[in-house]
Amino acid sequence: MLLKSLPALLLGTLLYSLPAFSQVTNPRTLPQEWGEYGIGDPYILKFRGKYYLYCSTRDDQAGVKCWSSWDLATWSYEGLCVAGTVTISQGAYAPEVIYWNGKFYMYTSPAGNGHYILSADSPTGPFTVQTGNLGHSIDGSVFTDDNGQMYFTNAGGSGIQGAAMSGPLSIGTGNTLSGTSLHGWTEGSTIFKRNGVYYITYTGNHVFSRGYRVNYATATAPLGSYTSGADNPILLNTEGAFFGLGHSGAVIGPDLDTWFIAYHNLLGPSTIVGPNRKLNIDPMGFNGSKLLVYGPTNWTQPSPALPTFYDRFDRTAIGSSWTNINGGNWGIYNQELMWQDNKATLQWYRQVTTATAAANYTAEFNMKEMSRGGNDARFGAVFSYIDENTFGSALLSSFNNTLETDIKVNGASIGVNSIPLPAGWDYQKWHVIRVEKEGATFRIYVDGMLKSTRTANITAAGKIGVTTYNDHADFGYTAFSNRVNGSGVFSFNKPIPGTIPAVHYNEGGEGVGYHDLTNENTGGKYRLDKVDIRDCEEGGENIGWNQTGEWYQYNVNVQSTGAYHLGLRYATTFTSCKVRVYCDGADVSGIVAIPATGAWSAWRTAVLKNLNLPAGNHSIRLETVEGEFDFSILKFESGTTTLPNGSDNFDSGSFSGLWNYDNGDFSISSGRAVINGFGKRAMGNAGWTDYTVEADVQCPSGGNGGLIFRVRNPAAGEFGTSNAVSSDYLQGYYAGIEAGGIVLGKQNYNWTTLAYKAQALSAGQSYKLRAVLNGANIKIYLNDMITPVIDYTDPAPIISGKAGIRAHAADMSFDNFLISSGTGMTLVFVK
């Protein structure tokens, strides 16, 4: 192949440029998927720079399939990593694999009947059974903390179960992790740690429900207690052909920095057995400890970025990508690794890249020891290498069982820090050292465990390399990326519809990614640019001190040409603030006035309606035209220029064809829609924002019923047919009546009461119930259409959605359902 004859540095540069031209689309189709079952419960492991994917086995089949990829985009089938002759592999649910000290361990539950642990010497197997049935329900997952302590989580009826492990083959007694319930059966958990925060993602409630979804929570310890993320769910889509999203796993992408989430979507029941599912992979972003998925997407996206430099040593000579320091006996073995075996002379031998990393970067080094020449033997990584007087080192000592870190600046050492590694550490097996440099801070990991944090004044760009002393060592996949601590998402094209943190503006500096009138970051948070960033009262960070004339640019990937609403989360005391939005330099919003929120800590959402955006990759610019405001989030949702309208008086004896969602045992009797129990119906367009919806609603003797509006993602629970469980399975508002009064609440697959008006109502009597939506303001009327019984302004409004009716544990009826256009706008458009 021609590319293999090119120098490694040039090859790396060529490959790094590929993501700009290559693309991926969810859902993915991989070679040799399980027929009529696909890829469900995906899990991705990274080992020596390569990714390995595992998934559930169809219930009537045996064996576990495995795929591999260097880039998370192109996958090759590796065959069965667990042979079909292994009895417990029939219907192997949610196999997950970890690497620990030279061994690969697989955790799986055959058809949900307890858990077994298998092991192998390779990520592609063959895995063999190592334990009997250890119990625990489905979806086992293992997390290893920085101190080497392992934890096991699995599904539970009231939340995720978690237990400490005494080793990779032993699972302790589990307990429900506080804060991880999805109001019933909860499954598909994964724990990972970032910047000292423990994250858990989890799924509920049933794989056959279109409302299958992923939430996340954070904690200060692996077993909690956990606090649910404010913006849950992070994965949800119920309508159209892309639905039933869940069972996620997290992995750092090929750029060494960007986190990705792998999950499946549901095609429907298999005609053979079980659910038929497909693989999806989307990037994740972080703002402080807040997590978001840049998705879900089911349209063309850029492929994950590759590192700035990488070397797989897939050739016969070291080549010009490396510079030798101090000699040694170096070579390439089997086109997969670089070695050094001179132990005769006590000298530090190094190979250093000819490529130079930026001042801030992430680097990865894979290595193992073959034999040491003496007790003083060391092997490891060098980083921020400028010369022999200025560089950092992360060295492994098999004799002392330690990681030793040091940084020299102009010949002066900051001091060696010696950190013990886990007992029994096998240095003749592959291990990975990871270095994150951010400013003057260096974070050094061994096999994913943060072991050392050092501070040194190296501000210039430097190189990376590998080194030995009195040692024979092998070095595998080595790479660096000019990305660190989540910066990989700053300039990539973020999906619309979707949510963009304000602080994830484009790189490039003044006049490219932003225009800021101050000479420094006034708040001193998050990024090193001149953009003024501060801690946000709602979590994470926001752009503050935003002045007239300043602007911020965001690369985006628009799903399809059309209208989109922009929910701008902001705070200001200025009574005159105006903003404008551009797409590729063209004004798409006009000048829009946003009202004062009353305080810099009082956050509100202004909705800029129906911005016309073209499909594909573009740049969005948010400009401050007048005044000052802080802003934290840009949330884009599909819009529509179609005026809200629709009605049904049920006199025809059948439901109008305008209803486009239904769940529950509704029927028509005597010209009224009747129901006894639970259910909901909706009509209209998810892009509707301001409108009026009303109906004649019969007051039930028990339970409640009424109107739903600004509804998105309605679904049924359990097997996709349950009515009772799915009463709250929607995102939107609800205004209902009951014997004691009128309630207004918000539903986001849970329930939040916003307002209640106590009022004695007569069971069996019909009342005209009306909701008038005007921006963040909601007025609820009952019979008297002049004076509202509830007048509520939501500081975090749901932007848009359909309208309909809902009953909750009630025997009742509805008549004269009507949707009409709203009367007024909260935002003033100024020419």
Side-chain angles (χ1 to χ4, degrees):
M1 182 176 177
L2 177 61
L3 282 177
K4 285 192 175 181
S5 67
L6 296 173
L9 175 60
L10 178 57
L11 176 59
T13 303
L14 287 173
L15 290 176
Y16 182 58
S17 69
L18 287 178
F21 306 100
S22 61
Q23 297 176 315
V24 290
T25 304
N26 289 328
R28 319 284 180 90
T29 297
L30 272 55
Q32 302 296 316
E33 292 182 4
W34 291 109
E36 280 279 353
Y37 195 78
I39 292 181
D41 309 322
Y43 180 79
I44 298 176
L45 166 75
K46 184 181 181 184
F47 177 68
R48 293 180 60 191
K50 200 170 190 177
Y51 297 93
Y52 296 88
L53 169 69
Y54 311 88
C55 70
S56 285
T57 301
R58 201 173 74 190
D59 293 68
D60 64 341
Q61 298 292 313
V64 175
K65 293 190 173 187
C66 177
W67 294 261
S68 67
S69 173
W70 285 105
D71 57 10
L72 293 181
T74 302
W75 293 89
S76 300
Y77 181 54
E78 296 284 355
L80 292 177
C81 62
V82 179
T85 55
V86 177
T87 305
I88 65 100
S89 71
Q90 179 163 340
Y93 286 177
E96 295 201 3
V97 177
I98 67 166
Y99 176 75
W100 179 253
N101 200 24
K103 282 282 187 182
F104 297 87
Y105 297 91
M106 177 182 288
Y107 304 80
T108 188
S109 178
N113 296 311
H115 270 86
Y116 294 81
I117 304 175
L118 302 84
S119 72
D121 295 324
S122 164
T124 59
F127 284 85
T128 57
V129 179
Q130 299 297 310
T131 70
N133 192 334
L134 300 179
H136 302 276
S137 65
I138 62 173
D139 295 352
S141 182
V142 174
F143 165 73
T144 304
D145 208 351
D146 294 333
N147 60 1
Q149 174 65 56
M150 294 179 179
Y151 299 89
F152 184 83
T153 58
N154 58 268
S158 56
I160 296 299
Q161 304 290 302
M165 304 173 68
S166 58
L169 294 174
S170 177
I171 303 172
T173 302
N175 296 295
T176 301
L177 302 185
S178 173
T180 64
S181 173
L182 279 173
H183 310 291
W185 183 255
T186 309
E187 60 189 27
S189 59
T190 294
I191 295 177
F192 64 95
K193 187 178 184 181
R194 182 180 181 276
N195 291 347
V197 177
Y198 297 87
Y199 293 81
I200 186 169
T201 59
Y202 48 99
T203 300
N205 290 104
H206 196 281
V207 68
F208 277 116
S209 172
R210 284 177 171 259
Y212 203 53
R213 63 203 183 279
V214 177
N215 277 23
Y216 86 97
T218 59
T220 58
L223 299 183
S225 60
Y226 280 89
T227 300
S228 178
D231 299 319
N232 281 325
I234 55 174
L235 281 175
L236 172 68
N237 200 69
T238 72
E239 297 193 284
F242 190 57
F243 57 86
L245 315 181
H247 196 110
S248 65
V251 68
I252 297 176
D255 71 351
L256 312 181
D257 177 64
T258 303
W259 283 84
F260 285 81
I261 188 167
Y263 59 98
H264 68 239
N265 69 293
L266 179 68
L267 297 182
S270 168
T271 61
I272 302 172
V273 61
N276 194 357
R277 296 164 290 184
K278 302 292 285 184
L279 168 69
N280 305 270
I281 303 173
D282 278 315
M284 295 192 292
F286 298 86
N287 177 12
S289 62
K290 297 175 73 174
L291 178 155
L292 70 107
V293 173
Y294 276 117
T297 69
N298 63 335
W299 68 98
T300 300
Q301 305 294 317
S303 293
L306 297 179
T308 309
F309 165 88
Y310 65 88
D311 197 340
R312 302 172 190 165
F313 304 106
D314 50 353
R315 56 192 182 278
T316 58
I318 293 176
S320 60
S321 296
W322 297 87
T323 299
N324 177 260
I325 307 293
N326 299 331
N329 185 31
W330 296 87
I332 297 290
Y333 172 75
N334 199 33
Q335 299 187 37
E336 63 172 307
L337 61 86
M338 179 170 64
W339 51 266
Q340 195 295 123
D341 68 354
N342 188 333
K343 298 179 289 185
T345 305
L346 297 183
Q347 173 68 52
W348 284 107
Y349 301 127
R350 315 193 201 283
Q351 290 283 352
V352 176
T353 60
T354 55
T356 301
N360 296 296
Y361 62 85
T362 302
E364 178 181 316
F365 312 83
N366 290 266
M367 62 191 69
K368 67 177 179 178
E369 185 177 67
M370 297 301 291
S371 63
R372 62 176 184 252
N375 296 341
D376 58 353
R378 303 289 190 274
F379 69 105
V382 295
F383 48 89
S384 290
Y385 184 94
I386 296 174
D387 54 35
E388 283 292 288
N389 291 313
T390 301
F391 66 92
S393 61
L395 307 174
L396 299 176
S397 168
S398 60
F399 178 76
N400 296 321
N401 194 32
T402 56
L403 166 73
E404 297 175 357
T405 64
D406 189 15
I407 301 174
K408 289 170 60 177
V409 182
N410 297 325
S413 166
I414 68 171
V416 175
N417 187 2
S418 183
I419 306 101
L421 292 175
W425 210 240
D426 187 347
Y427 292 84
Q428 294 189 343
K429 303 298 184 183
W430 287 103
H431 298 286
V432 58
I433 290 176
R434 173 183 171 91
V435 178
E436 298 172 356
K437 180 184 183 295
E438 190 171 20
T441 300
F442 296 80
R443 294 180 292 271
I444 302 166
Y445 302 75
V446 176
D447 289 0
M449 300 177 288
L450 178 60
K451 289 299 183 182
S452 181
T453 300
R454 310 301 304 269
T455 301
N457 187 26
I458 299 180
T459 58
K463 302 174 180 180
I464 67 167
V466 294
T467 189
T468 70
Y469 181 89
N470 197 13
D471 216 338
H472 174 188
D474 291 347
F475 300 95
Y477 179 83
T478 303
F480 71 75
S481 173
N482 294 331
R483 305 289 182 186
V484 67
N485 204 15
S487 66
V489 302
F490 291 164
S491 292
F492 98 102
N493 292 84
K494 304 163 183 68
I496 290 180
T499 298
I500 305 173
V503 294
H504 287 187
Y505 57 86
N506 289 357
E507 296 167 303
E510 170 63 38
V512 178
Y514 63 87
H515 173 52
D516 190 284
L517 297 174
T518 59
N519 290 321
E520 70 284 323
N521 179 343
T522 302
K525 298 291 184 177
Y526 197 68
R527 295 178 67 169
L528 301 177
D529 296 318
K530 293 195 304 179
V531 173
D532 305 316
I533 299 176
R534 69 176 179 90
D535 290 333
C536 182
E537 293 80 4
E538 297 187 316
E541 283 81 32
N542 64 265
I543 292 179
W545 299 277
N546 187 30
Q547 303 178 49
T548 300
E550 295 183 340
W551 52 259
Y552 309 91
Q553 192 116 322
Y554 303 87
N555 289 338
V556 298
N557 180 0
V558 182
Q559 182 176 23
S560 57
T561 299
Y564 292 87
H565 305 312
L566 168 57
L568 178 67
R569 192 77 176 150
Y570 77 104
T572 183
T573 60
F574 280 59
T575 56
S576 180
C577 276
K578 298 183 179 69
V579 300
R580 176 162 44 195
V581 177
Y582 298 86
C583 180
D584 297 339
D587 184 348
V588 293
S589 68
I591 298 176
V592 181
I594 56 176
T597 64
W600 293 106
S601 59
W603 291 88
R604 301 290 184 267
T605 300
V607 180
L608 284 66
K609 301 179 187 176
N610 291 326
L611 311 183
N612 191 33
L613 303 178
N617 294 333
H618 303 279
S619 289
I620 294 291
R621 177 180 295 184
L622 179 73
E623 176 194 16
T624 305
V625 176
E626 182 180 327
E628 294 185 18
F629 62 92
D630 293 3
F631 72 108
S632 61
I633 290 172
L634 297 87
K635 183 176 183 179
F636 290 89
E637 290 187 351
S638 59
T640 181
T641 56
T642 303
L643 292 176
N645 69 92
S647 64
D648 197 348
N649 60 16
F650 313 108
D651 289 343
S652 68
S654 61
F655 287 99
S656 164
L658 296 175
W659 297 98
N660 50 30
Y661 178 81
D662 69 273
N663 153 235
D665 296 326
F666 282 95
S667 61
I668 293 178
S669 177
S670 301
R672 299 178 69 89
V674 299
I675 187 171
N676 185 3
F678 301 82
K680 55 186 179 288
R681 279 182 165 266
M683 68 168 62
N685 191 299
W688 288 349
T689 54
D690 295 341
Y691 54 85
T692 296
V693 56
E694 63 184 51
D696 296 333
V697 181
Q698 182 188 65
C699 181
S701 58
N704 56 69
L707 304 171
I708 52 176
F709 38 93
R710 288 188 182 160
V711 171
R712 285 179 179 256
N713 290 311
E718 293 291 329
F719 289 88
T721 57
S722 170
N723 302 324
V725 176
S726 58
S727 205
D728 293 329
Y729 271 38
L730 64 105
Q731 294 175 304
Y733 294 102
Y734 168 67
I737 63 174
E738 56 192 28
I742 304 98
V743 64
L744 172 65
K746 184 186 292 187
Q747 292 173 300
N748 186 22
Y749 281 70
N750 55 22
W751 170 257
T752 301
T753 299
L754 301 179
Y756 190 86
K757 171 69 172 178
Q759 185 171 332
L761 302 179
S762 300
Q765 180 176 332
S766 282
Y767 297 85
K768 180 170 288 296
L769 183 65
R770 173 181 290 173
V772 178
L773 319 177
N774 192 351
N777 181 255
I778 302 171
K779 291 182 173 65
I780 306 300
Y781 299 84
L782 191 72
N783 279 355
D784 176 2
M785 297 294 109
I786 302 299
T787 305
V789 291
I790 293 175
D791 188 339
Y792 181 82
T793 298
D794 189 352
I798 295 170
I799 294 174
S800 63
K802 309 175 184 183
I805 55 179
R806 172 185 182 266
H808 180 81
D811 184 1
M812 59 184 305
S813 66
F814 300 83
D815 201 3
N816 298 318
F817 179 80
L818 176 65
I819 302 169
S820 57
S821 299
T823 58
M825 301 174 63
T826 55
L827 301 181
V828 178
F829 289 75
V830 181
K831 292 184 179 179

